[in-house]
Amino acid sequence: MALRLVLMSVAVFFLSLAGAARADMAVFSSQGGVAIGGYDAVAFFEHGAAEQGRRSHAVMWKGVVWRFASAGNQARFESNPRAYAPAFGGYCAYAMSQGQVHSGDPRIWAIVDGELFLLNNRRVHQLWQADKVQMIADGHSHWPAVLRR
């Protein structure tokens, strides 16, 4: 009986570790294995602009390549990637608020409360801006389960 209890405890422990690993695993939109169209995720925050990254300044994180305009931006990202990576895996924040998945366009973006959001097109960006607080909340309610549909 004691052996059975120990074995069950060990099994529960390993199953909970696998669940924790899955919960931490982010899924990022990518084209050809490159996140956010090759744009520099740090530049949105540091320069307030969408800047194309360079192949010479790249890092692999969460299964995709992230490119940066400079070595400094690459170093900033490497020190805290979650601070710079776009919300909802770089998918369109408006679509996510509707429970849908569409690619985000890194040229159409917003930073709200320290989070980077990508949108799909200018019309969607206007709709999203009109009620972004609610749409962000709605998007979080769908993310990341929407990817499993």
Side-chain angles (χ1 to χ4, degrees), residues 22-119:
R22 278 194 308 272
D24 186 46
M25 188 179 304
V27 178
F28 290 95
S29 174
S30 67
Q31 295 175 347
V34 178
I36 61 175
Y39 281 79
D40 181 335
V42 176
F44 294 102
F45 294 91
E46 299 294 324
H47 305 133
E51 294 179 21
Q52 216 32 82
R54 298 180 183 174
R55 289 177 188 247
S56 58
H57 302 297
V59 64
M60 175 73 78
W61 182 67
K62 295 291 187 177
V64 294
V65 174
W66 299 80
R67 292 185 181 159
F68 306 93
S70 68
N73 282 4
Q74 179 181 343
R76 283 182 189 88
F77 184 86
E78 288 179 308
S79 71
N80 190 3
R82 285 180 176 84
Y84 299 104
F88 310 130
Y91 293 98
C92 176
Y94 176 82
M96 194 60 58
S97 74
Q98 307 300 305
Q100 300 175 10
V101 177
H102 295 284
S103 60
D105 184 336
R107 297 167 298 175
I108 306 169
W109 58 277
I111 294 176
V112 178
D113 294 332
E115 270 190 297
L116 173 63
F117 296 92
L118 304 183
L119 288 300

Side-chain angles (χ1 to χ4, degrees), residues 107-109 119-128:
R107 297 167 298 175
I108 306 169
W109 58 277
L119 288 300
N120 184 274
N121 60 61
R122 301 239 181 259
R123 169 117 170 80
V124 160
H125 184 241
Q126 290 173 340
L127 293 170
W128 185 80

